[in-house]
Amino acid sequence: MSQPVTPRRATRSSVADPASPTSPSGSRPKSTPRRQPVPTAAAKEEEGEHERSTIDVLLEALPGRRAQATDLLRLLAPAPALPLLLHGGATTGKTRALLLALRHVRPRPLRVAYAALRSLPSPRALFASLLTQLSPPSSSSASSRLRIPDKPSDFVAALRDALAGLSAQGEAVYLVFDNLEVVRSWDKGGQLLALLLRLYDLLWFPQVVLVYVSSATPDAYYSMTGSIEPNHIYFPDYTVDEVRDILMRGHPNPKLYSSFLSVALKPLFRVTRRVDELVAALEPLFRRYCEPLGDLKAVPDESIKRRLFEHIQPHLAVALNETFSVPTRTSVDECKDRSSGGKARSKSQFGSGDGLPTELEFHMSVSAKYLLLSAFLASRNPATLDAALFDSTGGSDNHRRKRKSSQASMNMKDTMAEEMLLKGPGTFPLERLLAIFQCITSVSEDYLGDVECPDSMMNGNGMTGLMSDVLLQLSTLCNSNFLSKSGSCPLEGSARYRSNIDEDLALKVARSVGFPLSKYIYRR
Amino acid sequence: MVAAVSVPSQAQTVLRGRLCDPAFVHSALRSSPDTNYSKLKYLVASSVSEACNNSVLLLGPRGCGKAAVVDMVLDDLRKEHPDAISVIRLNGMLHNDDNCAMKEIARQLCLEHQLSFSKMASSDDNTEFMIDMLQECGLAHKTILFVLEEFDLFAQGKQRLLYSLLDAMQSLTSQAVVIGVSCRLDADQLLEKRVRSRFSHRKLLFISPSLDDIQWLVEHLLILAKDSGLPANFRAVSYMDMESGFPSIESFLKALSSMQRQPKMDSLQDLSILELYILVCMHRLEDKEQSSYNFTSIMKEYRSIQDAYKTSDKYASTVCFRAFEHLLDRELISFGDNRGRNQALEYRPVKLLISSRELAQSLKLNTTCPVVLQKLFDRERYM
């Protein structure tokens, strides 16, 4: 069964490098050393046509971005130009649009220096990256001579020197700062951000054009000192139709895919509008959609469409409630048995609840599961309840008498429930955890005794087998972030822990060992 | 003559160049008397010719032409007294460390007077060097002009640089003028007592140009075009219609609308339905006067809404959490504590960063918004 083809997403470096499409991804956009010949009067019409076709080429590559592309082309060239700020949400195509526009802008820029701030760890790395990109190519072998400045003042001076060395003919040099919002979280980021935004004033260089790309809105960059406000271009998120156009591009079977999208896209669009998440969710769904069809190239008619729709309906409901779909072993086996047994099995997977998977998706040892459950109970229940819940027989109290609670105690229970919701899980010392663990496992000893286990440790003395590596399991759970260590108690100085799992996961774990968790959870 | 490029594009290039160059924009002020330009020129010229020390502050909001005026004055003085002036320029943003500033002063002095500059010199050496140079230049009747941009940033910390500079000017033989440029109108209040006593309290205030001035400025800039005096900006010129060769009214209006966007409203339009649900739930919680709430309380509210109205938008907790994280990325909500305890994200208190009016407006503008959401938002006001 062949995979449906999704349009290839061009990475930034492959788009940005016009010279060699197979250049390594670590390189930044290179310069275009060819210069355009001076157009004569006879070539004026050609130039007009050329400009129109430039825009068309650009719009072809950037669906749904007509206004932004024309804005970009007009504001970027010719130099001199005021600084430019592109802002919009994530995956709205800002960087791609900018780099494509820089390839098509006329006159051709002399050099484009691109600083991807998200992958640079410190200001010094940023300075190094920009200066190496701006240094003339002949001295690349002698790059050891380039001293990377530490201080911003040295950097501005070095930048001025590099730019003076480059642009003698008055051609434009573009400096692109991508993901500007990460600078705010750097050490001394505020100063560096103010410097970057005022670089236009500090450089005194009319031929340099500064372009900033940011996911944060421009109000994040207003500072008390103020600066020349850059021109803004806003990239809104794509609408449903635009997303449909993007997804349909280059698909081998457009009719089939469009019938699939008409079913699946709108519900998913209500949950999230980001194209990357939609693509990740739509791919496995499309595979399922095509399962009843024998031939992927078929053009569906109405009856087939209806059949496929009924087939995909339950899967769609599941997909709406998932964020990641990790193919587990059970689902893979299920795929294999699809031809033979099919419907009954799928029903058992979607049976309980409202379509949520009820199986635990990963494997844990039995002692770890019990430890996790005891941690959950210790975090969830107040310590005063332990004596009532876990009496000496280890059984849950089925004889809890319901006393008539007065209004005041009901209010207190309400506030306690609210507080629990607000503050999150409570902390507990290690001794309490071990005590609860011992109680729980003594209850389930009878169940364990019935289980056929080839492991020699797990017979008769099942208890000691479980207890021996409890501390090891504890550290494993801490490392996997199921438990976390919080500050130590000020009075006693012993370490306190906190459980991080939510009730759904705890119930799944309890179900997998057959432990009646709900009887022990404190509810108001 | 071969026309290399078409006339409109030539015109556009010229206009863009003019708009980008602050010196050209403010050079129109040269002609009129009794402006800050003439006052500053008089001050500096007199201190150069009379061989005395002086200091002055230029204060005014951004974009009023303070740096341009300084540049113009310096250009004029260089033409009139070519040998009697040397200029040292410092910027508070770059050189806010005193040692760094001293080094920069020493470097520029060396550059001006063709001396070799040693990078290993310590800060004290640099200070001594500066004082010696001031004396020497004073004896040779050469005035050193210090231009300190972002003056208020120099006034942070211990103000060692300012003190040593102004103190050195007190000696008889030195001839120096300190010109400070700042956008904070109270920059002189930031000075320490000992520094302020050595500072001659001359201030030149720059104000934003009035409407008449702007109109006159625009005509001065756009001498090629005929327009009706709307404020010129770079964007409008860029949108200039290439065929007709004139910036039209449409291009100005378009530029104005793109400059007046409200970014938060734009972000609100881009949200998915689930994200809008979360915002409305947060708004309801705030209306119920809950002082602090976190993701779990939002989920509780969301579930109660779903149970009450039985909409089709009931989603699992993980999906809602992903939508919550998207809202955090867009900076429409944020955490209330500043890295408080090491808590899971679901339990940290959050708050809304948009007002209820903006939320109401965005719900109205959103075409795909379900009616029940609008009802929920309105009804809470009457509950």
Side-chain angles (χ1 to χ4, degrees), chain A residues 155-174:
Chain A
F155 168 62
V156 173
L159 198 59
R160 255 186 236 137
D161 294 335
L163 286 172
L166 259 192
S167 164
Q169 274 87 359
E171 292 186 357
V173 176
Y174 289 85

Side-chain angles (χ1 to χ4, degrees), chain A residues 39 71 74-75 78 184 195 198 202 219 225 232 234 237 270-271 273 277 321 418 421-424, chain B residues 4 16 62 91 150 235 239 266 270 272-274 294 296 300 313 315-316 326 330-331 343 347:
Chain A
D71 271 358
R74 279 188 166 151
L75 287 173
R184 292 183 292 176
L195 181 79
R198 293 212 62 205
L202 293 171
D219 2 356
T225 55
H232 301 146
Y234 176 62
D237 272 21
R270 287 173 83 94
V271 174
R273 285 174 71 161
E277 292 171 357
N321 278 316
E418 292 285 334
L421 215 51
L422 273 183
K423 281 202 295 198
Chain B
R16 280 167 77 118
R62 290 269 165 199
N91 192 312
E150 315 286 346
R235 209 166 175 138
Y239 287 163
D266 291 330
D270 281 342
S272 68
I273 306 288
L274 179 59
N294 55 19
T296 41
K300 189 168 136 210
D313 280 315
Y315 300 110
H326 287 177
R330 284 188 195 269
E331 299 187 350
Q343 257 182 323
Y347 292 104

Side-chain angles (χ1 to χ4, degrees), chain A residues 299-414:
Chain A
V299 173
D301 59 351
E302 282 309 313
S303 65
I304 297 183
K305 276 192 202 167
R306 214 170 307 135
R307 190 160 60 95
L308 294 173
F309 173 68
E310 283 162 11
H311 174 78
I312 197 76
Q313 187 75 343
H315 298 266
L316 194 59
V318 174
L320 280 175
N321 278 316
E322 278 181 345
T323 46
F324 301 116
S325 67
V326 176
T328 61
R329 227 178 324 146
T330 51
S331 67
V332 165
D333 291 339
E334 197 182 290
C335 276
K336 290 204 190 111
D337 297 334
R338 169 104 352 229
S339 50
S340 61
K343 264 213 164 115
R345 213 177 275 262
S346 69
K347 273 222 167 57
S348 71
Q349 197 195 11
F350 305 135
S352 51
D354 42 345
L356 295 172
T358 55
E359 297 286 318
L360 198 57
E361 285 126 357
F362 51 89
H363 180 74
M364 280 167 75
S365 63
V366 176
S367 66
K369 286 184 184 166
Y370 275 110
L371 200 60
L372 196 59
L373 290 175
S374 3
F376 177 72
L377 286 174
S379 265
R380 188 65 187 270
N381 298 344
T384 48
L385 219 56
D386 286 350
L389 278 181
F390 307 104
D391 53 1
S392 53
T393 61
S396 68
D397 52 350
N398 300 322
H399 318 289
R400 211 188 328 178
R401 270 164 295 147
K402 274 214 146 42
R403 283 195 308 182
K404 251 206 199 138
S405 20
S406 64
Q407 189 62 29
S409 68
M410 290 252 294
N411 288 345
M412 204 169 67
K413 281 190 182 162
D414 277 345

Side-chain angles (χ1 to χ4, degrees), chain A residues 59-357:
Chain A
L59 290 175
E60 178 63 33
L62 298 170
R65 289 276 175 242
R66 178 172 207 96
Q68 284 80 23
T70 40
D71 271 358
L72 269 178
L73 281 180
R74 279 188 166 151
L75 287 173
L76 278 179
L82 287 180
L84 196 58
L85 173 68
L86 281 74
H87 66 102
T91 68
T92 43
K94 304 183 286 289
T95 308
R96 183 174 147 84
L98 175 67
L99 292 174
L100 278 180
L102 282 175
R103 277 170 74 181
H104 287 109
V105 85
R106 296 280 173 275
R108 299 296 290 264
L110 175 62
R111 189 80 62 108
V112 175
Y114 175 83
L117 289 166
R118 202 189 279 279
S119 51
L120 294 169
S122 69
R124 197 156 183 275
L126 167 67
F127 301 156
S129 155
L130 277 179
L131 287 173
T132 30
Q133 288 181 58
L134 287 175
S135 61
S138 56
S139 77
S140 58
S141 58
S143 57
S144 57
R145 260 192 277 148
L146 195 69
R147 278 195 57 232
I148 310 297
D150 269 328
K151 296 219 178 74
S153 53
D154 300 333
F155 168 62
V156 173
L159 198 59
R160 255 186 236 137
D161 294 335
L163 286 172
L166 259 192
S167 164
Q169 274 87 359
E171 292 186 357
V173 176
Y174 289 85
L175 297 181
V176 179
F177 295 93
D178 202 358
N179 292 125
L180 197 60
E181 71 276 0
V182 305
V183 181
R184 292 183 292 176
S185 56
W186 281 356
D187 198 26
K188 289 207 190 135
Q191 287 178 9
L192 186 63
L193 196 60
L195 181 79
L196 287 178
L197 288 169
R198 293 212 62 205
L199 212 50
Y200 184 72
D201 295 330
L202 293 171
L203 279 182
W204 307 328
F205 214 80
Q207 298 301 36
V208 72
V209 182
L210 296 161
V211 188
Y212 309 102
V213 181
S214 139
S215 328
T217 52
D219 2 356
Y221 303 115
Y222 292 159
S223 63
M224 193 178 72
T225 55
S227 46
I228 281 199
E229 183 158 327
N231 285 320
H232 301 146
I233 298 186
Y234 176 62
F235 280 71
D237 272 21
Y238 295 108
T239 62
V240 176
D241 303 319
E242 287 168 352
V243 173
R244 185 176 297 132
D245 288 337
I246 291 175
L247 292 173
M248 294 276 295
R249 279 175 150 220
H251 201 264
N253 193 348
K255 291 234 165 57
L256 183 63
Y257 203 61
S258 75
S259 65
F260 165 67
L261 283 183
S262 57
V263 169
L265 187 58
K266 272 234 163 72
L268 281 178
F269 206 70
R270 287 173 83 94
V271 174
T272 172
R273 285 174 71 161
R274 281 172 63 158
V275 180
D276 50 352
E277 292 171 357
L278 287 172
V279 165
L282 284 172
E283 256 195 63
L285 272 182
F286 184 61
R287 250 178 275 143
R288 283 227 200 254
Y289 186 73
C290 301
E291 272 164 6
L293 276 184
D295 172 25
L296 265 191
K297 299 216 187 350
V299 173
D301 59 351
E302 282 309 313
S303 65
I304 297 183
K305 276 192 202 167
R306 214 170 307 135
R307 190 160 60 95
L308 294 173
F309 173 68
E310 283 162 11
H311 174 78
I312 197 76
Q313 187 75 343
H315 298 266
L316 194 59
V318 174
L320 280 175
N321 278 316
E322 278 181 345
T323 46
F324 301 116
S325 67
V326 176
T328 61
R329 227 178 324 146
T330 51
S331 67
V332 165
D333 291 339
E334 197 182 290
C335 276
K336 290 204 190 111
D337 297 334
R338 169 104 352 229
S339 50
S340 61
K343 264 213 164 115
R345 213 177 275 262
S346 69
K347 273 222 167 57
S348 71
Q349 197 195 11
F350 305 135
S352 51
D354 42 345
L356 295 172

Side-chain angles (χ1 to χ4, degrees), chain B residues 279-295:
Chain B
L279 282 180
V280 169
C281 288
M282 286 175 79
H283 193 257
R284 285 171 70 98
L285 285 175
E286 287 203 347
D287 255 11
K288 286 185 194 165
E289 315 245 337
Q290 280 207 355
S291 54
S292 76
Y293 49 89
N294 55 19
F295 179 69

